[in-house]
Amino acid sequence: MVNIEKHWYDVVVIGAGGAGLRAAIEARLAGKKVAIISKSLFGKAHTVMAEGGAAAAMGNVNSNDNWMVHFRDTMRGGKFLNNYRMAELHAKEAPDRIWELETYGALFDRTKDGKISQRNFGGHEYPRLAHVGDRTGLELIRTLQQKIVSLQQEDKAKYGDYQARLRVFAECTITELLLDSSTGEKRIAGAFGYYRESGEFVLFEAPAVVLATGGVGRSYKVTSNSWEYTGDGHALALRAGAKLINMEFLQFHPTGMVWPPSVRGILVTESVRGDGGVLKNTEGKRFMFDYVPDVFRKQYAETPEEGDRWYTDPDNNRRPPELLPRDEVARAINSEVKAGRGTKAGGVYLDIASRRPAAEILKKLPSMYHQFKELADVDITSQPMEVGPTCHYVMGGVEVDPDSAATPGVLGLYAAGEVSGGMHGSNRLGGNSLSDLLVFGKRAGEYAAAYTDGLGKRPKVDDTQVAAAVEEALTPLARDGGENPYTLQSDLQDVMGTLVGIIRRKGELEESLNRLAELRERIRKVGAAGGRRYNPGWHLALDLRNMLVVSECTAKAALEREESRGGHTREDFPKMSSKWRQVNLICSLTPDGDVDLTHQPIPTMTPDLLALFEKSELAKYMTEEELS
Ligand code: FAD
């Protein structure tokens, strides 16, 4: 009989990034007993890596900015496939969430007159990203953790125990959600997992779970994502009976490091371009002017001179095309490299050295300076950086109700931050993730708490589900001579990188599904040598089934969507199709665990929001029928 440590909570938050911490704070403020569970060390979530800033239309640097402009930019960036209600709530509530962070103790960079400073980023009409140098995520996480500590101090004063109502379980991986189906509906009853260090099992009984587990980038070799982004939350949701929406949309950030090979994929913040950096090919040409698509033609400069003037006089000039949304810039770099105008390592140049004084670069981009100096021996104040696309962010994710972050179909299950889908449509604008996780993290915590208030009796954990979770976890350790988890991960990354990458084709996508089916069989036979005490091979063996099912969703949806839009480019269907814009692709699991893909009509935008756009712009995206 294995030992299982047991805990009892009102709300369990899986993930200690910005979304998870913000949700936990809100649920605790609503008086709930809350657990925060984190696969990595506390404080080392993805959010801490965020560099450029959090987008919020505060209008501090340009007073023309407001939520309506932010909403428009977000919809344009997502190519009008965004869940409009999420985009609306996000644009309206982001400024309050930023100001609130300052009341928790954050200190953003300031304008000369003492307001929170805001910087330019791709796709944002006005300077909009509240930032702390190029280490914004660090300040965000530091502040949220500080708020958590202050709440724990309150609890100590009231109950004599710091952890009475808010406790962090770090280095603890959740492998399964537990359900109570006794009433005929699926209701969350808890979550099961293990401590990474000891390998001991742990069970959280709770009627509400907030998924805040971040992204899926580790299914690709070249990625800005760190080791823990294996799509766990996506897979947990699927297995519990929730659905994933639009998983074909993956963001390949245009600027990752490409050299040396050991650091390939590490992010080079968009702030470099926001602060004046330009992209050049090996012929020295500033090539982005050749890649402005028709839908954006009116908003972007036609000449380098106009683009350069925009930095100091944005009211009378249009922005440079280096600041197009990320999908456009990534595709442009890809085309330049393919046309033979890229570097040997397969990148292009990002030059800020010839455009800004060294002192300014050091002040605004200190982390980038150190990153390139230490990892590539490149001094960005005097030399250009070598960059290329890297898998960065997943726009698809767990389907949620826009207002409450609740998953339809599984009572008590909520999702916020990168793990949720819909908000960013087919492409996320830079800076919109940090604001998204604050807005919807808060909402998820609030609604999860309210849900527990309305419960008659607590759902009951089903012992057979716990026994199955234990068996699933132990099986790789019991298997002698099983498949090596590291080989399997590498093979999976090969399939995704070569067949479901930045440019996609029908034949390759079909092949990817065959290869993923083979991998599914091999992953069933994965083995891990050694015991349960800190055993990374075993941890990876357990993560693999999550990576696999999420990759299957991405490949299946990518094959189905016969158009190119945002983070999904089909060479065989190179244009956007207004018919496909009306469709969300939904993935769920059949009882046998296979991925089932269905079409869902996208919700119709309300007239007041439609009125924020000119009809001529809407005509670029919508069918005649919709417009009438
Ligand atoms: P994360 O911060 O990713 O946290 C996920 C948490 O879930 C972690 O604690 C992890 O350990 C935990 N977890 C995962 N699986 C499990 C499991 N099975 N059990 C228990 N815990 C689990 N966005 C912006 O808006 N602006 C920027 O400037 C910006 N810069 C970026 C720079 C870099 C280098 C990167 C990589 C991303 C950047 N992003 C930026 C994107 C943004 O940082 C992320 O999208 C965002 O932080 C995701 O936050 P989250 O709270 O959803 O999840």
Side-chain angles (χ1 to χ4, degrees), residues 260-348:
S262 57
V263 300
R264 200 178 176 107
I266 291 183
L267 195 77
V268 180
T269 175
E270 190 165 326
S271 319
V272 177
R273 283 171 286 135
D275 290 340
V278 294
L279 291 162
K280 292 179 182 167
N281 61 24
T282 45
E283 294 167 2
K285 182 173 177 194
R286 202 172 149 185
F287 57 82
M288 278 309 300
F289 288 91
D290 299 340
Y291 291 96
V292 182
D294 285 344
V295 283
F296 291 120
R297 182 90 50 202
K298 264 171 59 187
Q299 291 129 29
Y300 285 82
E302 273 166 43
T303 62
E305 292 73 26
E306 184 188 357
D308 287 350
R309 283 197 304 271
W310 172 84
Y311 285 100
T312 46
D313 182 9
D315 293 338
N316 296 306
N317 294 285
R318 288 168 297 174
R319 55 192 26 248
E322 281 85 3
L323 293 178
L324 275 160
R326 290 174 175 172
D327 53 326
E328 308 293 351
V329 184
R331 269 193 297 273
I333 294 176
N334 199 65
S335 302
E336 285 296 302
V337 174
K338 222 171 145 191
R341 295 185 291 268
T343 64
K344 269 193 202 137
V348 294

XYZ file of all heavy atoms in Angstrom, residues 260-348:
700
model
N 25.362 30.814 -30.065
C 25.783 29.455 -30.397
C 24.648 28.451 -30.238
O 23.633 28.770 -29.585
C 26.901 29.189 -29.375
C 26.618 30.099 -28.228
C 25.944 31.302 -28.800
N 24.816 27.224 -30.807
C 23.717 26.247 -30.819
C 23.154 25.942 -29.439
O 21.956 25.707 -29.294
C 24.352 24.999 -31.423
C 25.525 25.490 -32.193
C 26.009 26.748 -31.530
N 23.993 25.993 -28.421
C 23.516 25.619 -27.078
C 22.464 26.591 -26.547
O 21.725 26.250 -25.629
C 24.693 25.571 -26.107
O 25.336 26.825 -26.095
N 22.378 27.801 -27.097
C 21.405 28.773 -26.556
C 20.308 29.076 -27.576
O 19.507 29.984 -27.386
C 22.099 30.089 -26.128
C 23.130 29.814 -25.066
C 22.715 30.827 -27.298
N 20.300 28.316 -28.658
C 19.312 28.550 -29.713
C 17.899 28.557 -29.130
O 17.525 27.652 -28.387
C 19.440 27.460 -30.774
C 18.841 27.856 -32.082
C 19.006 26.801 -33.143
N 18.300 27.285 -34.315
C 18.880 27.732 -35.404
N 20.170 27.705 -35.533
N 18.155 28.200 -36.407
N 17.136 29.592 -29.453
C 15.742 29.657 -28.989
C 15.538 30.634 -27.846
O 14.421 31.126 -27.656
N 16.583 30.942 -27.089
C 16.399 31.864 -25.955
C 15.912 33.215 -26.478
O 16.402 33.721 -27.494
C 17.719 32.021 -25.153
C 18.031 30.699 -24.436
C 17.636 33.172 -24.162
C 19.255 30.737 -23.565
N 14.969 33.793 -25.765
C 14.282 34.972 -26.296
C 15.137 36.229 -26.347
O 15.917 36.504 -25.438
C 13.049 35.268 -25.429
C 12.091 36.244 -26.114
C 11.285 35.537 -27.182
C 11.182 36.898 -25.103
N 14.944 36.988 -27.427
C 15.485 38.344 -27.524
C 14.267 39.263 -27.521
O 13.455 39.238 -28.444
C 16.288 38.527 -28.832
C 16.829 39.937 -28.915
C 17.405 37.496 -28.911
N 14.135 40.034 -26.467
C 12.871 40.746 -26.264
C 12.515 41.686 -27.416
O 13.381 42.322 -28.030
C 12.885 41.551 -24.941
O 11.674 42.314 -24.864
C 14.051 42.508 -24.851
N 11.201 41.786 -27.627
C 10.679 42.687 -28.651
C 10.988 44.146 -28.318
O 10.937 45.019 -29.186
C 9.162 42.467 -28.716
C 8.489 43.122 -29.873
C 7.071 42.564 -30.062
O 6.848 41.369 -29.805
O 6.210 43.339 -30.473
N 11.321 44.412 -27.054
C 11.663 45.789 -26.664
C 12.839 46.303 -27.483
O 12.976 47.503 -27.675
C 12.064 45.866 -25.196
O 11.245 45.083 -24.421
N 13.692 45.396 -27.965
C 14.827 45.851 -28.783
C 14.280 46.590 -30.004
O 14.770 47.666 -30.372
C 15.716 44.660 -29.219
C 16.846 45.147 -30.116
C 16.263 43.909 -28.020
N 13.234 46.024 -30.611
C 12.632 46.705 -31.758
C 11.787 47.890 -31.306
O 11.791 48.947 -31.928
C 11.796 45.721 -32.582
C 12.653 44.816 -33.454
C 11.867 43.703 -34.104
N 11.517 42.673 -33.141
C 10.303 42.102 -33.032
N 9.333 42.482 -33.837
N 10.086 41.185 -32.130
N 11.087 47.717 -30.178
C 10.269 48.822 -29.644
C 11.120 50.036 -29.333
O 10.678 51.177 -29.447
N 12.364 49.785 -28.946
C 13.247 50.896 -28.590
C 14.133 51.346 -29.755
O 15.088 52.097 -29.563
C 14.115 50.512 -27.372
C 13.275 50.414 -26.094
O 12.174 50.998 -26.073
O 13.708 49.754 -25.132
N 13.854 50.866 -30.962
C 14.560 51.403 -32.139
C 15.356 50.402 -32.951
O 15.876 50.753 -34.029
N 15.494 49.154 -32.488
C 16.271 48.153 -33.233
C 15.604 47.805 -34.566
O 14.379 47.816 -34.669
N 16.421 47.503 -35.589
C 15.863 47.141 -36.898
C 16.429 45.805 -37.366
O 17.519 45.394 -36.948
C 16.144 48.221 -37.973
C 15.413 49.505 -37.655
C 17.642 48.471 -38.123
N 15.666 45.153 -38.252
C 16.084 43.849 -38.783
C 16.739 44.031 -40.142
O 16.207 44.750 -41.001
C 14.859 42.937 -38.907
C 14.255 42.497 -37.576
C 12.830 41.982 -37.761
C 15.129 41.423 -36.927
N 17.881 43.369 -40.334
C 18.580 43.473 -41.625
C 18.979 42.080 -42.090
O 19.280 41.211 -41.256
C 19.850 44.312 -41.469
C 19.587 45.778 -41.173
C 20.909 46.519 -40.999
C 20.684 47.973 -40.652
N 21.921 48.619 -40.189
N 19.014 41.897 -43.426
C 19.506 40.611 -43.926
C 21.014 40.687 -44.142
O 21.632 41.729 -43.849
C 18.736 40.189 -45.187
C 18.905 41.183 -46.323
O 19.893 41.923 -46.354
N 17.959 41.191 -47.234
N 21.604 39.615 -44.661
C 23.070 39.609 -44.796
C 23.542 40.576 -45.891
O 24.730 40.861 -45.992
C 23.588 38.186 -45.116
O 22.758 37.621 -46.120
C 23.589 37.309 -43.882
N 22.597 41.090 -46.709
C 22.993 42.113 -47.690
C 22.898 43.510 -47.088
O 23.057 44.515 -47.773
C 22.082 42.011 -48.923
C 22.276 40.706 -49.676
C 21.173 40.438 -50.701
O 20.259 41.282 -50.856
O 21.234 39.367 -51.325
N 22.572 43.576 -45.819
C 22.484 44.874 -45.130
C 21.162 45.583 -45.343
O 20.975 46.728 -44.938
N 20.185 44.892 -45.991
C 18.905 45.542 -46.296
C 17.925 45.456 -45.119
O 17.785 44.386 -44.514
C 18.288 44.869 -47.518
C 16.995 45.512 -47.931
C 16.463 44.956 -49.226
C 15.112 45.624 -49.504
N 14.359 44.977 -50.526
N 17.274 46.570 -44.821
C 16.222 46.593 -43.803
C 14.947 46.063 -44.475
O 14.163 46.811 -45.036
C 16.047 48.036 -43.331
C 15.421 48.168 -42.002
C 15.457 49.617 -41.530
N 14.298 49.857 -40.694
C 13.976 51.037 -40.194
N 14.711 52.092 -40.459
N 12.902 51.169 -39.435
N 14.749 44.747 -44.366
C 13.825 44.073 -45.286
C 12.347 44.134 -44.906
O 11.488 43.829 -45.704
C 14.240 42.601 -45.448
C 14.295 41.830 -44.145
C 13.142 41.307 -43.585
C 15.496 41.643 -43.481
C 13.193 40.614 -42.390
C 15.557 40.942 -42.282
C 14.405 40.431 -41.727
N 12.019 44.543 -43.687
C 10.614 44.442 -43.266
C 9.668 45.293 -44.116
O 8.472 45.021 -44.178
C 10.463 44.805 -41.786
C 10.792 43.695 -40.804
S 9.955 42.123 -41.124
C 8.234 42.580 -41.020
N 10.219 46.327 -44.802
C 9.342 47.157 -45.645
C 8.749 46.345 -46.793
O 7.733 46.714 -47.363
C 10.124 48.380 -46.167
C 10.381 49.375 -45.083
C 11.539 49.308 -44.319
C 9.440 50.348 -44.781
C 11.767 50.197 -43.277
C 9.653 51.248 -43.740
C 10.820 51.171 -42.991
N 9.404 45.221 -47.137
C 8.888 44.376 -48.230
C 7.803 43.410 -47.759
O 7.271 42.643 -48.556
C 10.034 43.519 -48.821
C 11.132 44.384 -49.411
O 10.843 45.557 -49.692
O 12.273 43.883 -49.564
N 7.497 43.410 -46.464
C 6.603 42.361 -45.943
C 5.366 42.900 -45.224
O 4.805 42.216 -44.382
C 7.392 41.462 -44.970
C 8.445 40.619 -45.646
C 9.766 41.043 -45.703
C 8.120 39.405 -46.246
C 10.749 40.273 -46.326
C 9.093 38.633 -46.864
C 10.399 39.065 -46.900
O 11.357 38.303 -47.519
N 4.944 44.124 -45.566
C 3.754 44.663 -44.892
C 2.505 44.124 -45.608
O 2.290 44.420 -46.778
C 3.748 46.211 -44.917
C 2.521 46.748 -44.167
C 5.037 46.753 -44.307
N 1.678 43.308 -44.933
C 0.511 42.757 -45.636
C -0.567 43.822 -45.839
O -0.588 44.835 -45.127
C 0.017 41.668 -44.675
C 0.605 41.986 -43.359
C 1.787 42.865 -43.550
N -1.427 43.576 -46.807
C -2.456 44.569 -47.150
C -3.289 45.013 -45.955
O -3.598 46.184 -45.816
C -3.399 43.986 -48.225
C -2.696 43.973 -49.569
O -1.663 44.684 -49.694
O -3.150 43.235 -50.463
N -3.633 44.045 -45.083
C -4.535 44.428 -43.973
C -3.894 45.466 -43.047
O -4.579 46.168 -42.324
C -4.983 43.208 -43.118
C -6.047 42.415 -43.818
C -3.823 42.343 -42.686
N -2.585 45.557 -43.067
C -1.910 46.523 -42.172
C -1.300 47.714 -42.921
O -0.698 48.586 -42.300
C -0.791 45.816 -41.388
C -1.304 44.834 -40.359
C -0.962 43.487 -40.424
C -2.130 45.252 -39.333
C -1.429 42.582 -39.489
C -2.605 44.350 -38.385
C -2.256 43.019 -38.465
N -1.425 47.727 -44.252
C -0.706 48.704 -45.075
C -0.906 50.150 -44.584
O 0.036 50.921 -44.487
C -1.176 48.550 -46.533
C -0.506 49.441 -47.540
C 0.740 48.886 -48.188
N 0.596 47.535 -48.726
C 1.631 46.729 -48.939
N 2.851 47.125 -48.632
N 1.451 45.534 -49.435
N -2.138 50.488 -44.229
C -2.425 51.892 -43.884
C -1.763 52.340 -42.582
O -1.555 53.516 -42.349
C -3.943 52.079 -43.760
C -4.546 52.617 -45.043
C -6.041 52.632 -45.093
C -6.769 53.409 -44.048
N -8.228 53.177 -44.135
N -1.461 51.363 -41.700
C -0.963 51.757 -40.374
C 0.555 51.759 -40.263
O 1.091 52.094 -39.213
C -1.512 50.795 -39.313
C -3.003 50.915 -39.091
C -3.682 49.567 -39.184
O -3.096 48.532 -38.894
N -4.928 49.575 -39.631
N 1.264 51.349 -41.308
C 2.728 51.224 -41.179
C 3.473 52.118 -42.173
O 2.995 52.379 -43.286
C 3.137 49.749 -41.349
C 2.786 48.972 -40.096
C 1.494 48.508 -39.889
C 3.718 48.790 -39.084
C 1.135 47.856 -38.714
C 3.373 48.135 -37.906
C 2.087 47.669 -37.722
O 1.744 47.040 -36.549
N 4.646 52.599 -41.749
C 5.452 53.514 -42.568
C 5.840 52.857 -43.887
O 6.046 51.647 -43.947
C 6.704 53.907 -41.796
N 5.974 53.709 -44.928
C 6.378 53.160 -46.227
C 7.874 53.274 -46.442
O 8.439 52.589 -47.290
C 5.635 53.901 -47.342
C 4.286 53.270 -47.621
C 3.393 54.158 -48.457
O 3.893 54.748 -49.422
O 2.203 54.247 -48.111
N 8.526 54.186 -45.731
C 9.975 54.365 -45.919
C 10.683 54.313 -44.571
O 10.077 54.623 -43.530
C 10.272 55.747 -46.534
O 9.813 56.741 -45.600
C 9.568 55.932 -47.874
N 11.996 53.949 -44.583
C 12.755 53.953 -43.327
C 12.721 55.329 -42.655
O 12.646 55.432 -41.436
C 14.176 53.587 -43.772
C 13.998 52.813 -45.031
C 12.791 53.389 -45.702
N 12.731 56.399 -43.469
C 12.751 57.748 -42.886
C 11.480 57.991 -42.072
O 11.525 58.482 -40.948
C 12.857 58.822 -43.994
C 14.193 58.827 -44.739
C 14.351 57.639 -45.691
O 13.324 57.097 -46.168
O 15.505 57.219 -45.951
N 10.329 57.621 -42.662
C 9.067 57.830 -41.926
C 9.060 56.971 -40.658
O 8.689 57.441 -39.580
C 7.858 57.476 -42.804
C 6.541 57.796 -42.083
C 5.279 57.298 -42.801
O 5.388 56.729 -43.908
O 4.191 57.473 -42.227
N 9.491 55.720 -40.795
C 9.531 54.820 -39.637
C 10.408 55.389 -38.532
O 10.052 55.350 -37.350
N 11.533 55.956 -38.916
C 12.442 56.499 -37.904
C 11.857 57.750 -37.234
O 12.048 57.964 -36.037
C 13.806 56.829 -38.529
C 14.592 55.557 -38.832
O 14.143 54.475 -38.376
O 15.614 55.628 -39.511
N 11.154 58.545 -38.026
C 10.549 59.763 -37.449
C 9.499 59.416 -36.409
O 9.284 60.155 -35.450
C 9.918 60.619 -38.570
C 10.914 61.409 -39.394
C 10.214 62.527 -40.176
N 9.146 62.041 -41.041
C 9.299 61.641 -42.316
N 10.502 61.694 -42.871
N 8.276 61.212 -43.040
N 8.851 58.264 -36.591
C 7.745 57.872 -35.707
C 8.187 57.769 -34.233
O 7.422 58.089 -33.330
C 7.189 56.528 -36.182
C 6.175 55.916 -35.271
C 4.835 56.182 -35.231
C 6.427 54.939 -34.266
N 4.228 55.427 -34.256
C 5.182 54.650 -33.651
C 7.552 54.261 -33.828
C 5.056 53.722 -32.614
C 7.434 53.341 -32.792
C 6.190 53.085 -32.198
N 9.446 57.371 -34.000
C 9.890 57.204 -32.601
C 9.804 58.519 -31.821
O 9.530 58.522 -30.630
C 11.334 56.665 -32.556
C 11.408 55.202 -32.907
C 11.788 54.784 -34.168
C 11.085 54.224 -31.973
C 11.848 53.437 -34.501
C 11.141 52.872 -32.295
C 11.519 52.485 -33.561
O 11.565 51.153 -33.878
N 10.018 59.649 -32.524
C 9.968 60.931 -31.802
C 8.688 61.710 -32.104
O 8.291 62.581 -31.332
C 11.177 61.814 -32.182
O 11.321 61.787 -33.599
C 12.449 61.305 -31.506
N 8.023 61.380 -33.214
C 6.803 62.120 -33.566
C 5.718 61.136 -34.030
O 5.363 61.090 -35.211
C 7.150 63.131 -34.689
C 5.949 63.970 -35.067
O 4.916 63.904 -34.363
O 6.029 64.699 -36.084
N 5.184 60.355 -33.075
C 4.243 59.305 -33.483
C 2.902 59.833 -33.991
O 2.182 59.126 -34.674
C 4.056 58.490 -32.190
C 4.451 59.401 -31.089
C 5.434 60.365 -31.638
N 2.581 61.107 -33.674
C 1.275 61.613 -34.105
C 1.253 61.932 -35.596
O 0.197 61.928 -36.224
C 0.898 62.864 -33.302
C 0.649 62.505 -31.836
O 0.362 61.311 -31.579
O 0.774 63.383 -30.979
N 2.428 62.210 -36.172
C 2.465 62.626 -37.573
C 3.149 61.629 -38.501
O 3.376 61.929 -39.671
C 3.181 63.989 -37.683
C 2.380 65.047 -36.958
O 1.193 65.225 -37.228
N 3.015 65.702 -35.993
N 3.525 60.479 -37.951
C 4.173 59.451 -38.774
C 3.605 58.086 -38.422
O 3.012 57.914 -37.358
C 5.682 59.450 -38.524
C 6.323 60.734 -38.990
O 6.507 60.959 -40.184
N 6.636 61.612 -38.037
N 3.834 57.122 -39.326
C 3.355 55.764 -39.039
C 4.515 54.904 -38.540
O 5.676 55.184 -38.825
C 2.736 55.167 -40.308
C 1.405 55.819 -40.646
C 0.930 55.455 -42.017
N 1.843 55.934 -43.051
C 1.720 55.657 -44.344
N 0.734 54.904 -44.752
N 2.589 56.135 -45.219
N 4.156 53.863 -37.783
C 5.179 53.043 -37.120
C 5.986 52.203 -38.119
O 5.479 51.841 -39.184
C 4.506 52.128 -36.095
C 3.420 51.283 -36.715
C 2.519 50.562 -35.721
N 2.434 51.205 -34.445
C 2.942 50.685 -33.319
N 3.523 49.507 -33.351
N 2.828 51.300 -32.197
N 7.229 51.870 -37.779
C 8.041 51.054 -38.711
C 7.551 49.605 -38.752
O 7.005 49.107 -37.754
C 9.447 51.123 -38.094
C 9.227 51.455 -36.664
C 7.949 52.241 -36.564
N 7.728 48.938 -39.871
C 7.197 47.566 -40.006
C 7.909 46.531 -39.142
O 7.420 45.415 -39.007
C 7.380 47.256 -41.488
C 8.440 48.189 -41.950
C 8.364 49.412 -41.106
N 9.037 46.887 -38.534
C 9.641 45.968 -37.560
C 8.678 45.746 -36.401
O 8.807 44.781 -35.652
C 10.953 46.548 -36.999
C 12.155 46.396 -37.895
C 12.290 47.508 -38.932
O 11.449 48.444 -38.905
O 13.213 47.436 -39.763
N 7.705 46.658 -36.255
C 6.744 46.530 -35.152
C 5.395 45.977 -35.604
O 4.369 46.180 -34.949
C 6.573 47.887 -34.449
C 7.827 48.352 -33.705
C 7.617 49.717 -33.068
C 8.241 47.355 -32.639
N 5.398 45.262 -36.716
C 4.199 44.499 -37.093
C 3.977 43.401 -36.055
O 4.902 43.041 -35.317
C 4.424 43.851 -38.462
C 4.110 44.715 -39.688
C 4.821 44.161 -40.911
C 2.611 44.803 -39.918
N 2.759 42.827 -35.982
C 2.566 41.695 -35.071
C 3.581 40.578 -35.340
O 4.118 40.457 -36.444
C 1.138 41.244 -35.386
C 0.457 42.477 -35.865
C 1.509 43.238 -36.635
N 3.804 39.777 -34.306
C 4.903 38.811 -34.335
C 4.823 37.795 -35.476
O 5.840 37.393 -36.038
C 4.937 38.050 -33.012
C 5.386 38.933 -31.905
C 5.291 38.249 -30.583
N 5.865 39.126 -29.574
C 5.798 38.894 -28.274
N 5.185 37.831 -27.817
N 6.338 39.733 -27.427
N 3.589 37.354 -35.796
C 3.469 36.343 -36.844
C 4.011 36.873 -38.164
O 4.682 36.161 -38.913
C 2.018 35.867 -36.985
C 1.034 37.008 -37.179
O 1.255 38.093 -36.608
O 0.038 36.824 -37.902
N 3.751 38.145 -38.447
C 4.208 38.733 -39.719
C 5.736 38.808 -39.745
O 6.370 38.482 -40.750
C 3.640 40.157 -39.886
C 2.133 40.281 -39.715
C 1.331 39.586 -40.813
O 1.944 39.141 -41.804
O 0.102 39.466 -40.657
N 6.323 39.243 -38.618
C 7.780 39.417 -38.586
C 8.478 38.045 -38.666
O 9.470 37.880 -39.373
C 8.209 40.195 -37.316
C 9.713 40.467 -37.342
C 7.446 41.511 -37.201
N 7.912 37.058 -37.953
C 8.528 35.719 -37.978
C 8.496 35.136 -39.395
O 9.481 34.556 -39.866
C 7.791 34.791 -37.008
N 7.373 35.308 -40.080
C 7.283 34.774 -41.453
C 8.274 35.490 -42.374
O 8.896 34.880 -43.233
C 5.852 34.928 -41.989
C 4.972 33.731 -41.703
C 3.687 33.795 -42.517
N 2.883 34.948 -42.161
C 1.985 34.956 -41.176
N 1.771 33.869 -40.475
N 1.291 36.031 -40.895
N 8.421 36.808 -42.169
C 9.351 37.582 -43.012
C 10.779 37.078 -42.816
O 11.516 36.872 -43.796
C 9.253 39.062 -42.662
N 11.178 36.854 -41.578
C 12.545 36.356 -41.316
C 12.718 34.991 -41.967
O 13.724 34.698 -42.624
C 12.812 36.282 -39.791
C 12.824 37.691 -39.199
C 14.136 35.557 -39.497
C 12.974 37.737 -37.684
N 11.700 34.149 -41.796
C 11.730 32.816 -42.396
C 11.941 32.910 -43.913
O 12.754 32.187 -44.486
C 10.397 32.130 -42.079
C 10.479 30.644 -42.235
O 11.208 29.992 -41.498
N 9.757 30.108 -43.214
N 11.242 33.839 -44.562
C 11.355 33.988 -46.024
C 12.746 34.471 -46.413
O 13.315 34.021 -47.414
C 10.330 35.000 -46.553
O 9.053 34.591 -46.206
N 13.303 35.426 -45.661
C 14.641 35.937 -45.980
C 15.678 34.816 -45.895
O 16.534 34.676 -46.754
C 15.020 37.066 -45.001
C 14.314 38.374 -45.270
C 14.676 38.983 -46.618
O 15.868 39.230 -46.864
O 13.751 39.201 -47.433
N 15.576 34.012 -44.840
C 16.552 32.927 -44.662
C 16.399 31.919 -45.808
O 17.375 31.475 -46.402
C 16.370 32.260 -43.281
C 17.267 31.038 -43.137
C 16.662 33.256 -42.157
N 15.137 31.618 -46.123
C 14.869 30.649 -47.191
C 15.389 31.153 -48.544
O 15.839 30.372 -49.379
C 13.355 30.426 -47.276
C 12.989 28.973 -47.473
C 11.514 28.755 -47.323
C 11.049 27.681 -48.267
N 9.593 27.618 -48.344
N 15.351 32.474 -48.718
C 15.809 33.062 -49.993
C 17.326 33.202 -50.036
O 17.874 33.819 -50.960
C 15.139 34.413 -50.184
N 18.020 32.700 -49.014
C 19.487 32.718 -49.031
C 20.087 34.010 -48.502
O 21.277 34.274 -48.681
N 19.260 34.851 -47.875
C 19.793 36.114 -47.365
C 19.926 36.095 -45.840
O 19.867 37.111 -45.176
C 18.887 37.274 -47.806
C 18.871 37.476 -49.322
C 18.071 38.690 -49.731
N 16.639 38.517 -49.512
C 15.782 38.048 -50.416
N 16.218 37.688 -51.600
N 14.494 37.928 -50.125
N 20.031 34.866 -45.300
C 20.194 34.723 -43.853
C 21.631 34.397 -43.490
O 22.473 34.149 -44.365
N 21.915 34.381 -42.197
C 23.275 34.070 -41.735
C 23.508 32.555 -41.835
O 22.562 31.786 -42.017
C 23.436 34.480 -40.256
O 22.537 33.686 -39.476
C 23.140 35.952 -40.056
N 24.759 32.160 -41.655
C 25.094 30.734 -41.714
C 24.293 29.928 -40.697
O 23.886 28.797 -40.946
C 26.586 30.552 -41.414
C 27.448 30.583 -42.633
C 28.846 30.069 -42.272
C 29.840 30.594 -43.283
N 31.082 31.068 -42.693
N 24.089 30.528 -39.530
C 23.365 29.814 -38.475
C 21.854 29.846 -38.701
O 21.089 29.336 -37.877
C 23.701 30.416 -37.110
N 21.395 30.458 -39.792
C 19.969 30.440 -40.118
C 19.179 31.576 -39.497
O 17.989 31.439 -39.233
N 19.829 32.720 -39.293
C 19.107 33.864 -38.728
C 19.273 35.108 -39.572
O 19.746 35.040 -40.718
N 18.833 36.244 -39.039
C 19.089 37.549 -39.655
C 19.680 38.437 -38.550
O 19.838 37.985 -37.419
C 17.788 38.178 -40.215
C 17.237 37.372 -41.374
C 16.742 38.344 -39.116
